[in-house]
Structures are given as structure tokens and as C-alpha cells.
Amino acid sequence: MALLLLALLLGLADQVPGQDSQVYLQQIKPLLRARCYACHGVLKQESDMRLDTAESIRKAGVIDNGELLARISSDDPDVRMPPEGEPLEPSQVLAIRRWIDGGAASPAAEVAEQDPRQHWSFQQVRRPNVPSSTFNNPIDALLEARRERHAVA
């Protein structure tokens, strides 16, 4: 009897209030990143669906209408997600189901991934406006202007 009670308590341990966001961060988000972001991430949003934040998943409506669970648990290769590679393992589907059944909690300040194409290294180089100064070298003029702006002697 004590063993049954212990098993029951351990089974409910992942439903303790306050840990719901941790379940998302430690189990759900890494799974989505590994298996879903290629088609539903920052660079590509098949079917206008982005799954890189819990908020974007909720906005897509796939939690409320049950489509997410239906797609990841389908045996039909034309319906199943992800469409390529192995289907999600039953334990992964169960983790997502528990997360949804538990209210799909996530951190309030979750930030979506940034588009890597916006990184400074991909931006076109532009010549800065060189302030007028007594220096002949434009680099010295830029450094002097910055020094003055920050009141550095």
C-alpha cells in the first residue's frame, strides 16, 4: 500500500504549482526545438504556425482545437507531425499532452527567437557620418565625438 501511495505521489510531482513553467522549459520547449522549429520556427512558419514560444502556440489555436495532439499522435503519414523523420515517441506525446492538460503553462517573459538574418554580420555595411573635427583621420574624429558624448576626459 505504501508503495502504491509513493508511486501516486511521484506521478503527481510534475503537477505541483509553480513548476509548470519548468516542465515547459525543460521538456516541451527542447522537444519542439528539436522536432518542430525547422518548419514552425523563426525562419519558416508552415501553415502560418510558429511554435517557438508557448504564446505563439496558443495564438495558433492548435491547443484549443486539439490539432497539435491529433497531429503528433497520428499514425497517418499524411497527417502526422513532424512529417519527416521518425514520429514522436509515445513518452514525448504524453509529455506534451500532460503539459496541455495542465494548462500549457510557460514563463510570462518568454522571448521568441530572433531571426538570425537580422544579426549585425548579415547587415549591409554603411559608412558612418563623420563629425567635423580638427582631426585629419576620420577614426580619430569618431572616437573624439564618442568621448565627448560620454564625457570622458
Side-chain angles (χ1 to χ4, degrees):
M1 184 68 174
L3 189 57
L4 179 62
L5 182 59
L6 179 61
L8 179 62
L9 289 173
L10 289 175
L12 296 175
D14 63 341
Q15 297 175 6
V16 174
Q19 291 184 350
D20 295 341
S21 292
Q22 292 304 313
V23 168
Y24 171 73
L25 291 173
Q26 294 171 355
Q27 295 177 11
I28 306 305
K29 190 164 181 127
L31 174 60
L32 295 173
R33 181 179 293 120
R35 300 301 306 276
C36 304
Y37 284 14
C39 296
H40 302 288
V42 66
L43 292 176
K44 186 177 181 183
Q45 292 95 41
E46 291 286 330
S47 301
D48 294 324
M49 191 178 326
R50 190 167 171 176
L51 303 177
D52 63 340
T53 66
E55 181 63 27
S56 63
I57 296 170
R58 284 189 281 278
K59 282 182 182 176
V62 294
I63 291 177
D64 295 335
N65 68 14
E67 186 177 357
L68 179 64
L69 287 173
R71 291 295 195 119
I72 65 173
S73 60
S74 177
D75 293 329
D76 183 349
D78 293 331
V79 174
R80 174 181 66 89
M81 290 292 148
E84 297 174 357
E86 294 295 316
L88 295 182
E89 295 179 13
S91 62
Q92 295 171 322
V93 173
L94 180 61
I96 292 173
R97 183 180 308 277
R98 282 185 174 170
W99 174 66
I100 290 171
D101 290 345
S106 62
E110 183 182 16
V111 177
E113 292 192 350
Q114 298 231 338
D115 186 341
R117 296 171 295 199
Q118 299 304 313
H119 190 269
W120 66 266
S121 63
F122 294 108
Q123 303 308 306
Q124 183 177 3
V125 177
R126 291 183 176 84
R127 182 172 292 281
N129 294 328
V130 178
S132 60
S133 102
T134 59
F135 295 103
N136 292 332
N137 187 326
I139 293 173
D140 290 335
L142 289 167
L143 290 173
E144 178 66 17
R146 171 108 10 131
R147 187 188 63 75
E148 289 175 0
R149 188 171 357 146
H150 294 287
V152 176

